[in-house]
Amino acid sequence: MNQARLLFVLILGLWLISWHADSQQQPQREITRITGELYRFRNAGHFSVFLVTPAGIVATDPVDADAARWLRAELATRFAKPVKYLIYSHDHSDHISGGEVFADTAVVIAHENAKSVILGERRPTAVPEVTFSDRMTVELGGKKVVLTYLGKNHSDNSIVMRFVDEKALFAVDFIPVKSLPFRDFPDAYIDEWIESLKKVEGFDFDILAPGHGALGKKEDVRAVRIYMEELREQVLKHVRDGKSVEEIKKLVNMEKYSGWGNYKNYLPLNIEGMARYLQSHRRPN
Ligand SMILES: [Zn+2]
């Protein structure tokens, strides 16, 4: 091997090592435009949205402190506007950690039930200073974001955020797009969840921005509601027949959802969670 070649191989090797180290340290982060001045912020498998207005930015879930610091720097460079409002989708720490990064300029908003959980569980984030019970409209720079509480579903404090002019809805964890709900329905209220989805089906929007995975459309709300209803009906029948959870896993047939995300790994867990929920919400003879 001549010297030039040796040098080339060495440089290539060093570049590969640094690239590998970089890709291991940094989760994939990006900002993409959804429509108009509404953008999507990605941190690995987590997503939130933000709206840029002439009077400042309405941001949503900060995800975590590192992600929030990255986002803050990007917003400053790209838009040169401060975050005026920071709205939490629900209390779960994998979505709302790091809110303190924006707290110097932003009013932090969440559902009233979220505040006590954030305090009680010591979530590593800014405590919301403005809370609401049913509905609240955030207005900034001529834009409107309508926040609605639909009852309990994936938590007892999940809200949806409707960006009125953009006809877009940001909803986290309770309206997965062509994907199964998370694991065994932790912290979930199944029946109220189904009712929540029916309410969202009546809202005026075209674009669905979830907290995980690809963007969806309004019809995705109906699809996941039907999935929940079908799973509930099948599991309930087997629970009433006295079957064990392991037996129920073999009996339930949700084959038509096999093309959805997380089908193989979450279906057995969805069945476990559904069976546990239904067992604790019935009284056998
Ligand atoms: Zn969650």
Side-chain angles (χ1 to χ4, degrees), residues 90 92 94-95 154 173:
H90 63 310
H92 294 164
D94 64 319
H95 290 275
H154 159 87
D173 288 349

Side-chain angles (χ1 to χ4, degrees), residues 67-104:
R69 279 189 286 271
W70 181 87
L71 178 61
R72 187 183 164 120
E74 289 289 314
L75 295 179
T77 316
R78 294 183 190 212
F79 306 104
K81 291 202 167 68
V83 172
K84 292 286 201 180
Y85 293 98
L86 181 69
I87 310 165
Y88 297 156
S89 61
H90 63 310
D91 76 84
H92 294 164
S93 61
D94 64 319
H95 290 275
I96 63 153
S97 295
E100 70 280 2
V101 171
F102 298 104
D104 59 337

Side-chain angles (χ1 to χ4, degrees), residues 231 234-235 237-239 243-255 263-264 267-272 275:
L231 183 69
Q234 287 193 40
V235 174
K237 179 192 177 298
H238 299 310
V239 163
K243 305 287 187 205
S244 72
V245 174
E246 288 314 306
E247 287 171 318
I248 296 172
K249 282 184 194 171
K250 293 191 186 92
L251 292 165
V252 163
N253 182 352
M254 298 292 277
E255 198 51 40
Y263 176 79
K264 276 212 162 68
L267 182 59
L269 294 166
N270 276 195
I271 292 168
E272 272 177 36

Side-chain angles (χ1 to χ4, degrees), residues 31-202:
I31 288 169
T32 49
R33 188 193 291 265
I34 297 175
T35 180
E37 288 304 301
L38 180 66
Y39 297 83
R40 203 170 188 217
F41 160 49
R42 173 184 192 173
N43 185 69
H46 288 76
F47 294 82
S48 67
V49 302
F50 62 87
L51 180 69
V52 181
T53 84
I57 295 171
V58 179
T60 62
D61 295 349
V63 183
D64 67 41
D66 280 348
R69 279 189 286 271
W70 181 87
L71 178 61
R72 187 183 164 120
E74 289 289 314
L75 295 179
T77 316
R78 294 183 190 212
F79 306 104
K81 291 202 167 68
V83 172
K84 292 286 201 180
Y85 293 98
L86 181 69
I87 310 165
Y88 297 156
S89 61
H90 63 310
D91 76 84
H92 294 164
S93 61
D94 64 319
H95 290 275
I96 63 153
S97 295
E100 70 280 2
V101 171
F102 298 104
D104 59 337
T105 59
V107 174
V108 182
I109 304 173
H111 185 260
E112 64 184 8
N113 295 348
K115 186 171 181 173
S116 60
V117 183
I118 287 166
L119 287 166
E121 301 283 351
R122 298 188 202 93
R123 300 287 191 231
T125 196
V127 176
E129 44 195 311
V130 173
T131 62
F132 68 98
S133 55
D134 298 321
R135 194 181 144 109
M136 174 177 174
T137 301
V138 172
E139 291 186 67
L140 185 68
K143 291 285 188 172
K144 274 186 190 171
V145 189
V146 180
L147 318 180
T148 311
Y149 179 63
L150 305 154
K152 299 174 180 182
N153 42 56
H154 159 87
S155 72
D156 74 353
N157 57 72
S158 301
I159 61 169
V160 293
M161 308 179 203
R162 193 162 58 86
F163 295 82
V164 177
D165 290 347
E166 291 72 21
K167 288 203 155 216
L169 189 92
F170 178 50
V172 174
D173 288 349
F174 82 100
I175 319 179
V177 173
K178 294 181 184 68
S179 179
L180 266 60
F182 185 62
R183 299 179 64 87
D184 65 343
F185 295 107
D187 197 11
Y189 305 79
I190 305 285
D191 291 326
E192 294 91 333
W193 186 330
I194 291 167
E195 292 311 306
S196 288
L197 294 170
K198 288 179 187 166
K199 289 177 197 165
V200 177
E201 286 171 55

